[in-house]
């Protein structure tokens, strides 16, 4: 069962100065994550930022969740 899904928007094109970039959407299942939503949200956001599963992503998660 998946507790987080990330849906990226192709955000590689330049945007004008002052315009925020839309990375995509992160969807959490509240019936699964309950009060433990911080890790799934962080995990999904890192995927939108271009991280793939592995040591680098796990290290970044550890720093952000500290």
């Amino acid at each position: 069962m998946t507790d987080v899904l990330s849906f990226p928007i192709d955000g590689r094109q330049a945007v004008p100065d002052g315009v925020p970039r839309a990375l995509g959407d992160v969807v959490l299942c509240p019936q699964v994550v309950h009060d433990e939503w911080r890790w799934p949200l962080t995990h999904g956001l890192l995927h939108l930022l271009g991280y793939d599963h592995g040591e680098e992503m796990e290290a970044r998660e550890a720093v952000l969740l500290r």
Side-chain angles (χ1 to χ4, degrees):
M1 183 182 306
T2 301
D3 55 359
V4 60
L5 297 172
S6 297
F7 299 96
I9 295 173
D10 187 16
R12 298 184 193 275
Q13 290 121 0
V15 294
D17 288 342
V19 175
R21 178 175 302 283
L23 296 175
D25 297 311
V26 175
V27 180
L28 303 177
C29 178
Q31 290 85 0
V32 175
V33 299
H34 303 286
D35 291 334
E36 301 297 323
W37 54 268
R38 287 170 184 82
W39 177 83
L41 179 60
T42 302
H43 188 85
L45 289 172
L46 286 174
H47 276 302
L48 292 181
L49 291 169
Y51 286 84
D52 289 324
H53 292 144
E55 292 179 18
E56 184 181 7
M57 184 174 185
E58 290 173 11
R60 189 71 179 140
E61 286 172 342
V63 168
L64 293 171
L65 292 169
R66 224 180 274 156

